[in-house]
Amino acid sequence: MNAAILRECYPMSFAEKLIHWQRRHGRHGLPWQGTRDPYRIWLSEIMLQQTQVSAVLPYYRRFLERFPDVAALARASEDDVLRLWSGLGYYARGRNLHQAAREIRRHGFPKTSKELQDLRGIGRSTAAAIAVFAYGERAAILDGNVKRVLARCFGLASDEELWRKAERLLPTKAVETYTQALMDLGATVCTRNPDCGACPVRGRCVARKTGRIAELPAARSRKALPLKKTTWFVYRDAGRVLLERRPSPGIWGGLWCFPELEDAAFRVRSRKILKPIDHGFTHFRLRIQPLLCDVKSRESPGRLWLDLSDALDAAIPAPVKNLLQDLQRNVAA
């Protein structure tokens, strides 16, 4: 009996279709693939939370060069970790990763998805992904990409339904390939504007058959994000700028930023209003008004005077880096 007749008599299941598709069309050769090292897999899964692969790749490589194993990460200071994380966003991930590394150094790496959820920054889906790729555990994932695939294919809306379906669909073999296939399909084919012609399960897709692609998964109601405002006092003296460390927790916790309160002890030689900066967070928008103040430097507890080049290498959020780069360009001009 040839392959075509076999497929007609015994059609492939959803999982089998995805496994077959992944081996031919999925993503291969990513630096965290082809390993059972739980540290490298954990690091990749944390970095990939709400962040695209293309953005993660250079950070992942630099991170491993500096912290090749969990012991090296645990020994590092939080400032060193956040400096390498600078620009990747969602900085709580970096802080949680660092704290979890210290927990792992004391007690060893968890061996199951249930145990992994006890670590900081690891939820149900991330724990399952780590356990699948590191230990071959038969566990269901449901990140944003996977949710989109399952919601459209099976016409499901609620997270409860999606989790039940994700668990029922798990194959008994090749769970790692199947899990990677779900991730790849959601990231490269079943996107917001899907390429249905390239989808291996398009024949059974409820959303495609019923014209509900734009409706599934169900969009969460979005309220208008509140606008918050702040001022940055960019104190400068002879090419150096003043940075202070932000408290943790909070936005940009543990990172170095410009002061938000004016220091009356400085004698300001000149003041210039710079272009406002708009920055979006999950729950609000922030409008920053930078004021460039030329002053004579003085020691300030909890603050650092840094040359522009050194400041750019510090653990700073993206808006601070962008402003520093503008200042550097203006100096060079």
Side-chain angles (χ1 to χ4, degrees), residues 233 235 242 259 261-268 298 300 303:
F233 291 90
Y235 291 118
L242 183 66
L261 297 176
E262 187 171 14
D263 191 331
F266 281 121
R267 181 177 295 176
V268 178
R298 64 178 184 82
S300 301
R303 295 173 167 181

Side-chain angles (χ1 to χ4, degrees), residues 109-125:
F109 218 103
K111 300 296 184 183
T112 67
S113 58
K114 185 177 180 180
E115 292 172 347
L116 282 160
Q117 290 182 64
D118 292 332
L119 293 177
R120 283 178 175 267
I122 298 184
R124 180 178 175 182
S125 185

Side-chain angles (χ1 to χ4, degrees), residues 70-147:
V70 72
L73 178 58
R75 287 193 300 268
S77 68
E78 183 180 279
D79 197 58
D80 284 343
V81 174
L82 292 178
R83 181 174 57 82
L84 283 184
W85 203 275
S86 178
L88 193 57
Y90 299 100
Y91 293 95
R93 294 181 299 172
R95 294 194 299 272
N96 288 337
L97 189 82
H98 185 225
Q99 293 175 27
R102 293 184 168 181
E103 185 73 15
I104 293 168
R105 182 175 58 178
R106 289 192 294 269
H107 303 293
F109 218 103
K111 300 296 184 183
T112 67
S113 58
K114 185 177 180 180
E115 292 172 347
L116 282 160
Q117 290 182 64
D118 292 332
L119 293 177
R120 283 178 175 267
I122 298 184
R124 180 178 175 182
S125 185
T126 300
I130 297 168
V132 166
F133 294 124
Y135 307 123
E137 181 179 325
R138 189 170 174 268
I141 66 168
L142 195 66
D143 65 11
N145 286 329
V146 175
K147 183 180 293 187

